Amino acid sequence: MFDIKNLDITGALVLLDSGEITSVGLTQALIDLIKAEDSKYNAYLTLDEEYALAQAAGADAKRAAGETGKLLGIPVAIKDVLNVEGQVCTCGSKILEGYVSPYDATAIAKLRAAGAIFLGRTNMDEFAMGSTTENSAFQVTKNPCNTDYVPGGSSGGSAAAVGAGLAIAALGTDTGGSIRQPACFCGCVGLKPSYGRVSRFGLTAYCSSFDQAGPMTKTVKDAALLLEVMAGVDEYDASSAPVDVPEYTKHLTGDLTGMTIGIPKEYFIDGIDPEVSRTVKAAIDKCAELGAEIKDISLPLTDYAIATYYIIATAEASTNLARFDGVRYGARAEGATDPIDLYKKTKAAGFGEEVKRRIILGTYVLSSGYYDAYYGSAQKARTLIMQEFDKAFEDCDAMITPISPVPGYKIGENENDPLKMYLGDIFTVTANLAGICGLSVPYGKKDDLSIGVQILGPAFKEENILKIGDALERK
Amino acid sequence: MSENINYLTTIGLEVHVQLKTKTKIFCGCSVDSESEPNTNVCPVCLGYPGALPALNETVVKYGIMTGLMIGSKINRYSKFDRKSYFYPDMSKNFQTSQFDLPICEGGSIDIELEDGTRKSIGITRIHLEENAAKNFHLVKMSGVDFNRAGTPLIEVVTEPEIESPEEAYAFLQAIRQIVVYTGVSDCNLELGQLRCDVNCSVRPEGQVKLGERTEMKNLNTFKGIYNALQYEIERQKDVLRSGGTVSQETRRWDPDAGITTVMRTKEDAHDYRYLPEPDLMPMVFDDEYLEELRSSLPELPAKRRERFVVAYSLPAYDAGVLVAEKPIADYFEAAAKLSKNPKLVSNYMMTEMLRILSETEKDISEVTMTPEALAKLSNLVDAKTINSNTAKKVFDILFNEGGDPEKIVNENGWAQVSDTGAIEGFVDEAIAANPKSVEDYKAGKVAAIKFLVGQVMRFSKGKANPQLAESLLLEKLQ
Amino acid sequence: MSEEKHNGIDVAYVANLARMSLTEYEIEKFQSQLDQIVGYVEKIGELDLDGVEPSSRMRSLNNVYRKDELRDSLSHDKAMANAPEELNGLFKVPKIVE
């Protein structure tokens, strides 16, 4: 038998190729495991057994016929925000209850073409708005490291599933840290690709100019492998970049000689949990030991990142979420007297508090008389932040920073203090503002909570951060 | 006293023209307007979660071509914006349109009124945007068909320089002619391919500041716009005459009752909250691209008319008729260039071609007769090889069966006889056979000569050149 | 709290712009939370932004177009499958009063 909880993609492919297991066997084993144990974590919203087993049988037949595929027969858990044809896609919201997607997201289509199996959909903060997954309309997901704690968010379901061993790998999305922070909390690897690296077509938009889908895995190598499959320009997404996709897995040499790693001093401020600081410092030391040059750098605009991020993200969200009105799909309120009344009632009943709060903030910053002071200024601030990162990356190949100031939040801890929650995103939102890539790799612990470090790289230099992450993983 | 005040009218139009593409502006769905409801739809035009727009390059091209035709400045950097607007016909509850950097700015369109007055109307801007879906209003509920959602539009906004319903009407005709000419739209009014928002205000003569304006939205016939304006202008004048004030509001034109009524007041005006569209990349145009489009443009119809008058010696009226539709004008010009007598070609186009086309409900593109054949026909007439009656017969054959006019004339032996010797025989026969008419002529009845010419034609079986016959007769009867 | 400066957000008014009903309880709760959040984001006013170009999207890709070529639409059944209410092939909505 195999240790399914610790099985990664690379290991599973070896077993499948050797014939030791079949994809049907693997998929069934995972389904059984999820059924037995997920009640402890509530990582999955839905399991699509029939769909997954049929796909698995197809993969086994292909393998028997001598066909290959980078992910042939590998089950992957999908955050409930990415469209998979024929599956539900609630985005953690009651407003999309009953919606069945008629199409594949491009990232999903690429995984499908590589042979991946879509066995279930993972929980998330409603429309990816949140840092704890407590904003899901359906269930509270628990951190597998300690079930009194949140798994982080918004991709908390995917992080918990991978962290608990209930998924071999998963997809998340990251708009302001939603892959990296939950990966950090749940002890798994999370990669936010550069903006434009992975097509957003089929990713239900929260903030169109920040959103990116990316892998959440047990190893850095698996993340590299998934990114190789998902990345690339897409004619359905005008913002996807026509930049070649390297074979990321070939960059994972363990040797950091010749690399320069910047340490931005603004990311090491008072109020950070000492164990978080210690973990990040240990990782920096390790990189030095492996041959990297460490350099102190400064990103003075960091202090303005949260304000800039929340203005732009909510402004775009207020328009992106306008479409959920109960006319063409999704839930619809009863008893409306006219269409506007229908919208008002449908949104009132369908959206949760955090989503409503952000729609109102976003509507406000775009409204007549306030645009210049808020949205207009935030767009300019973004320009400065982008320039600051461009400049900083002239002197280094990557940066290492903490991900979250704290190792975790207890469930319910921040329920009525949204601003405090927003401020917790301080180390992650900058990557989204600047469009660069970021990787979260587990590197320490505080009691039973996991602590990760963040490695930031220039846009379209995922190989830099994957190489460093992989080297750290080898400790 | 106040009834003696003269009022000035100011009108501005926002004209929405559907572009002639195969697919919608942001997705590959067909723009066919005759399909069953909700069959030309996909996740993009239905505003599904996760769907993204992908810009149709032909839409951009057509927008620029329209701007170049009317002398607009093409913005070298242009972008799309989201315009928030909640309505069941907007699948995303925002319209993807253009706000501060439209594709074209400025330019003008020349109009001509029925009395021949000419005027140039300034254009503020042209921008690209997606069309809305179609609402069906039933008794207790409404239904939405998204086939039209996302079909490509240009919106042409005029300066407030139109001063009467007649000018508005002429402007609409002119803009329709231009876009059809350029080939960027069919402008089929029945299919709703041109719709118009109309702003108008009146003010007492002598007042500089424009009066408070009202708006009428979504008018889709020229006559409707004309009538609505006539009514609304009079209504506003009445309000002012009776000492009232016109309030800024949106009004609905009721074509059956022939009146306008209040639809929305300024208080519930919209806050569109424009947001630069993050899902679409900016458009940047260089000289090379614009030059390529410029060189592909047809001549403006008004310019072409003037040129036809000079180059082909046509009366202005005839030239106007010929240029009204580009395929007709192209056909005429192809023939005129090969003809020794372009005026004759014009005559055949005006009297024969257009009449038969309208009778047979045919399009000129379906006609078998080539412009070369028409040119040859005109040359045969010009050289007096055939007379005009024969030419009509040849024209009919060419129209129905095609072929070469010289061959048709030869095979049928229709060439007219211009040989003096041969005609002289027929003239003598005619004189001998009609002594009474000869007497009449000699007695001063000039008209009798026409009868004798007819007789010559009869004896010659229609082949004699009538001018020559008449000359010979006059000579002999002197 | 450091209010006064921002004369602010009117939650009920903005909710109406967003065509979203809120309960009295929500209005009250959001008003105080959003006053605080808006107060915080006003921080960007401290930056000197004169002459800075706004970035409304990421790296500068230009002229990304699609050819005017037909692609498959959804089948009518698939398009209507998600409709909360359908009427004779149309998406049914409450009566539109213009």
Side-chain angles (χ1 to χ4, degrees):
Chain A
M1 261 320 277
F2 53 95
D3 176 8
I4 191 164
K5 282 195 179 178
N6 287 310
L7 194 62
D8 62 10
I9 296 176
T10 316
L13 284 171
V14 171
L15 295 175
L16 287 166
D17 285 339
S18 69
E20 211 165 312
I21 54 170
T22 61
S23 179
V24 169
L26 178 60
T27 305
Q28 188 62 58
L30 262 179
I31 290 168
D32 294 344
L33 181 68
I34 294 162
K35 283 185 174 168
E37 298 197 8
D38 194 38
S39 56
K40 282 191 276 183
Y41 314 114
N42 298 325
Y44 285 89
L45 282 173
T46 41
L47 271 183
D48 204 337
E49 287 182 56
E50 229 175 279
Y51 193 104
L53 288 169
Q55 273 190 298
D60 285 336
K62 280 187 177 169
R63 187 169 257 108
E67 284 182 47
T68 55
K70 277 187 172 170
L71 299 170
L72 188 56
I74 303 292
V76 180
I78 307 295
K79 184 179 181 180
D80 208 21
V81 73
L82 288 152
N83 282 273
V84 174
E85 185 176 352
Q87 293 194 344
V88 297
C89 182
T90 67
C91 301
S93 182
K94 281 193 285 186
I95 212 162
L96 275 172
E97 264 186 308
Y99 167 70
V100 176
S101 181
Y103 77 109
D104 271 350
T106 300
I108 294 294
K110 288 188 166 196
L111 292 189
R112 192 191 289 282
I117 283 146
F118 308 119
L119 90 164
R121 320 223 13 120
T122 58
N123 197 22
M124 58 184 284
D125 285 304
E126 185 175 6
F127 288 105
M129 296 177 178
S131 317
T132 65
T133 311
E134 292 168 292
N135 296 332
S136 164
F138 302 111
Q139 61 198 29
V140 174
T141 298
K142 294 166 183 174
N143 189 327
C145 299
N146 180 335
T147 51
D148 291 335
Y149 281 75
V150 301
S154 66
S155 311
S158 286
V162 175
L166 304 188
I168 295 173
L171 293 194
T173 62
D174 190 315
T175 307
S178 284
I179 286 176
R180 291 160 288 159
Q181 183 253 29
C184 169
F185 285 1
C186 294
C188 57
V189 172
L191 172 62
K192 181 204 101 70
S194 312
Y195 186 78
R197 180 74 293 185
V198 175
S199 168
R200 292 182 296 112
F201 188 78
L203 188 184
T204 308
Y206 156 24
C207 174
S208 310
S209 68
F210 295 154
D211 294 341
Q212 270 290 290
M216 304 181 77
T217 55
K218 291 173 184 168
T219 66
V220 172
K221 190 181 173 193
D222 281 3
L225 181 65
L226 277 176
L227 184 63
E228 267 175 34
V229 175
M230 294 164 73
V233 68
D234 175 19
E235 57 178 338
Y236 291 89
D237 174 7
S239 68
S240 66
V243 176
D244 285 342
V245 181
E247 278 192 67
Y248 295 112
T249 40
K250 293 207 168 141
H251 289 264
L252 312 180
T253 58
D255 181 7
L256 303 183
T257 312
M259 290 197 94
T260 305
I261 297 175
I263 312 299
K265 67 170 191 235
E266 289 78 7
Y267 286 64
F268 299 85
I269 44 175
D270 289 345
I272 297 185
D273 185 283
E275 203 55 44
V276 171
S277 295
R278 207 202 56 73
T279 303
V280 178
K281 294 221 164 78
I284 294 167
D285 291 346
K286 180 71 180 178
C287 289
E289 207 177 289
L290 292 169
E293 186 193 329
I294 308 299
K295 197 167 177 175
D296 287 329
I297 60 167
S298 174
L299 297 166
L301 291 171
T302 306
D303 197 27
Y304 298 92
I306 292 289
T308 307
Y309 172 83
Y310 276 94
I311 291 170
I312 294 173
T314 58
E316 289 191 28
S318 73
T319 61
N320 280 327
L321 271 62
R323 69 188 62 192
F324 301 105
D325 59 11
V327 173
R328 296 162 312 284
Y329 48 77
R332 132 180 274 180
E334 298 288 324
T337 52
D338 62 63
I340 299 299
D341 189 41
L342 172 70
Y343 301 165
K344 289 185 173 176
K345 287 183 167 141
T346 296
K347 287 167 192 287
F351 288 140
E353 267 197 18
E354 182 59 25
V355 171
K356 288 178 182 169
R357 207 156 29 228
R358 294 197 195 190
I359 288 174
I360 289 174
L361 180 58
T363 304
Y364 173 67
V365 299
L366 289 175
S367 64
S368 173
Y370 297 99
Y371 182 97
D372 290 337
Y374 297 109
Y375 184 73
S377 296
Q379 280 185 307
K380 293 178 179 175
R382 162 154 59 174
T383 304
L384 295 180
I385 291 169
M386 289 163 82
Q387 287 169 351
E388 185 167 278
F389 271 94
D390 284 349
K391 187 103 191 19
F393 279 122
E394 286 174 10
D395 297 327
C396 61
D397 304 302
M399 299 175 192
I400 292 186
T401 77
I403 291 170
S404 163
V406 295
Y409 304 108
K410 279 204 155 172
I411 290 168
E413 184 182 326
N414 292 308
E415 226 163 69
N416 281 313
D417 196 347
L419 181 57
K420 188 183 160 209
M421 275 318 306
Y422 297 176
L423 296 174
D425 299 338
I426 178 69
F427 301 139
T428 48
V429 295
T430 48
N432 304 80
L433 281 164
I436 61 173
C437 55
L439 179 69
S440 172
V441 184
Y443 205 71
K445 278 199 164 281
K446 179 175 186 176
D447 305 324
D448 42 14
L449 295 177
S450 181
I451 300 173
V453 297
Q454 172 167 249
I455 309 161
L456 297 174
F460 305 104
K461 285 288 181 190
E462 279 79 1
E463 57 272 30
N464 291 7
I465 60 175
L466 288 165
K467 183 174 175 166
I468 295 169
D470 171 69
L472 288 175
E473 203 174 64
R474 295 178 189 214
K475 67 178 172 175
Chain B
M1 28 175 266
S2 64
E3 56 266 26
N4 292 328
I5 297 177
N6 224 346
Y7 288 95
L8 302 176
T9 300
T10 304
I11 299 166
L13 301 177
E14 293 167 19
V15 185
H16 304 256
V17 177
Q18 186 174 329
L19 298 174
K20 192 163 84 176
T21 55
K22 290 203 261 308
T23 66
K24 296 185 178 181
I25 182 168
F26 299 127
C27 63
C29 287
S30 165
V31 296
D32 182 8
S33 57
E34 321 254 280
S35 305
E36 290 295 306
N38 293 307
T39 51
N40 299 328
V41 291
C42 75
V44 176
C45 53
L46 285 173
Y48 262 53
L52 298 175
L55 178 58
N56 183 339
E57 65 176 351
T58 305
V59 173
V60 178
K61 189 170 107 178
Y62 285 180
I64 294 177
M65 284 168 70
T66 308
L68 291 174
M69 284 295 278
I70 62 167
S72 299
K73 171 173 92 73
I74 309 303
N75 272 327
R76 296 309 182 100
Y77 182 97
S78 181
K79 68 176 173 72
F80 282 94
D81 300 272
R82 297 177 175 182
K83 178 184 182 183
S84 282
Y85 193 104
F86 287 87
Y87 209 60
D89 60 8
M90 283 288 162
S91 58
K92 296 165 291 182
N93 287 318
F94 61 77
Q95 183 185 28
T96 306
S97 180
Q98 297 195 280
F99 180 46
D100 54 338
L101 289 167
I103 197 150
C104 309
E105 289 182 77
S108 62
I109 291 179
D110 294 337
I111 59 169
E112 184 174 328
L113 302 180
E114 295 216 333
D115 64 6
T117 319
R118 292 194 189 188
K119 183 173 173 179
S120 178
I121 304 294
I123 300 300
T124 312
R125 56 186 272 158
I126 302 177
H127 67 252
L128 308 174
E129 65 183 24
E130 59 183 332
N131 208 344
K134 209 170 189 173
N135 295 324
F136 290 87
H137 304 294
L138 310 169
V139 182
K140 286 186 181 150
M141 55 204 60
S142 298
V144 193
D145 169 14
F146 286 89
N147 282 352
R148 200 180 69 186
T151 53
L153 300 179
I154 46 172
E155 179 174 330
V156 181
V157 182
T158 73
E159 292 290 308
E161 294 177 352
I162 298 169
E163 291 169 310
S164 67
E166 289 74 21
E167 287 184 14
Y169 193 89
F171 177 84
L172 291 165
Q173 285 183 314
I175 192 173
R176 174 160 72 167
Q177 193 180 42
I178 289 169
V179 292
V180 172
Y181 233 76
T182 315
V184 301
S185 175
D186 288 331
C187 246
N188 185 326
L189 297 182
E190 278 157 31
L191 296 178
Q193 291 175 348
L194 184 147
R195 283 175 297 162
C196 195
D197 298 343
V198 181
N199 290 295
C200 78
S201 68
V202 299
R203 66 182 194 280
E205 196 165 14
Q207 180 182 314
V208 178
K209 193 174 172 287
L210 294 184
E212 201 64 70
R213 68 197 166 115
T214 62
E215 183 176 29
M216 293 176 282
K217 283 185 171 294
N218 240 339
L219 300 171
N220 58 7
T221 68
F222 291 4
K223 199 73 199 150
I225 292 163
Y226 179 85
N227 291 339
L229 274 169
Q230 277 213 318
Y231 175 87
E232 180 60 16
I233 290 162
E234 282 313 311
R235 187 193 69 84
Q236 290 188 13
K237 285 182 187 170
D238 285 347
V239 170
L240 295 182
R241 278 193 200 110
S242 62
T245 49
V246 173
S247 44
Q248 189 181 339
E249 61 199 9
T250 303
R251 299 183 67 85
R252 182 194 297 104
W253 166 244
D254 180 341
D256 299 324
I259 58 167
T260 66
T261 51
V262 184
M263 197 169 150
R264 250 197 325 266
T265 56
K266 194 193 172 188
E267 284 69 53
D268 37 55
H270 291 91
D271 181 347
Y272 292 126
R273 306 192 296 287
Y274 282 100
L275 175 90
E277 173 56 87
D279 291 331
L280 291 167
M281 300 303 106
M283 296 167 280
V284 179
F285 309 117
D286 57 19
D287 290 342
E288 199 185 342
Y289 179 70
L290 296 184
E291 216 27 69
E292 186 190 317
L293 292 186
R294 190 173 278 125
S295 64
S296 74
L297 292 178
E299 199 175 6
L300 266 178
K303 285 241 171 68
R304 196 172 201 186
R305 188 177 73 164
E306 284 168 28
R307 189 169 58 77
F308 277 13
V309 168
V310 177
Y312 303 119
S313 312
L314 305 185
Y317 174 79
D318 295 18
V321 171
L322 289 174
V323 301
E325 286 181 52
K326 185 166 178 292
I328 301 280
D330 289 346
Y331 189 100
F332 162 74
E333 188 152 31
K337 278 185 175 161
L338 298 171
S339 170
K340 292 184 179 115
N341 189 342
K343 177 73 179 67
L344 266 179
V345 175
S346 166
N347 291 347
Y348 285 114
M349 289 297 291
M350 306 269 299
T351 56
E352 299 302 312
M353 183 69 91
L354 294 179
R355 179 181 57 78
I356 303 179
L357 285 177
S358 111
E359 280 170 14
T360 55
E361 289 181 8
K362 269 192 175 176
D363 193 275
I364 193 142
S365 63
E366 304 165 72
V367 171
T368 3
M369 172 169 44
T370 62
E372 292 76 18
L374 179 58
K376 275 192 183 171
L377 179 63
S378 73
N379 288 343
L380 290 173
V381 177
D382 188 58
K384 303 196 165 51
T385 310
I386 56 174
N387 61 36
S388 57
N389 285 335
T390 309
K392 264 185 197 157
K393 285 194 284 182
V394 178
F395 188 97
D396 286 341
I397 294 173
L398 288 171
F399 188 91
N400 293 318
E401 299 158 27
D404 176 42
E406 285 170 5
K407 230 171 134 191
I408 293 168
V409 168
N410 288 335
E411 280 170 4
N412 291 290
W414 283 344
Q416 62 184 357
V417 179
S418 298
D419 168 31
T420 316
I423 295 178
E424 209 178 339
F426 298 127
V427 169
D428 291 342
E429 268 187 73
I431 290 174
N434 300 285
K436 173 91 174 63
S437 297
V438 171
E439 284 310 311
D440 288 351
Y441 175 75
K442 285 186 170 159
K445 264 181 95 180
V446 182
I449 202 78
K450 293 286 169 207
F451 175 78
L452 290 168
V453 171
Q455 292 302 300
V456 175
M457 297 309 285
R458 193 163 71 90
F459 289 121
S460 72
K461 298 196 168 64
K463 285 192 275 181
N465 179 328
Q467 275 89 37
L468 202 54
E470 189 172 331
S471 304
L472 283 168
L473 275 168
L474 291 173
E475 190 185 67
K476 289 194 182 259
L477 297 179
Q478 253 177 12
Chain C
M1 298 282 84
S2 64
E3 60 273 80
E4 294 312 28
K5 284 290 288 172
H6 50 99
N7 53 2
I9 179 167
D10 177 344
V11 167
Y13 172 79
V14 177
N16 183 51
L17 285 182
R19 304 293 184 258
M20 183 167 70
S21 299
L22 296 179
T23 62
E24 283 303 316
Y25 169 76
E26 284 173 323
I27 291 173
E28 206 174 304
K29 182 174 177 183
F30 291 172
Q31 187 66 56
S32 76
Q33 290 172 335
L34 287 165
D35 275 338
Q36 205 187 350
I37 292 166
V38 168
Y40 176 78
V41 300
E42 279 177 357
K43 196 178 170 65
I44 55 165
E46 296 166 10
L47 289 169
D48 179 8
L49 299 170
D50 279 355
V52 178
E53 280 294 312
S55 298
S56 50
R57 49 183 85 70
M58 283 303 150
R59 313 281 157 178
S60 51
L61 284 168
N62 295 325
N63 302 343
V64 183
Y65 302 133
R66 168 180 67 80
K67 288 222 177 324
D68 184 22
E69 286 166 2
L70 281 172
R71 285 197 170 131
D72 287 343
S73 296
L74 290 175
S75 70
H76 179 70
D77 289 347
K78 231 174 173 179
M80 302 311 290
N82 278 307
E85 288 188 71
E86 184 188 339
L87 182 80
N88 196 23
L90 301 172
F91 291 92
K92 180 173 150 185
V93 292
K95 176 112 174 129
I96 297 170
V97 191
E98 279 177 343

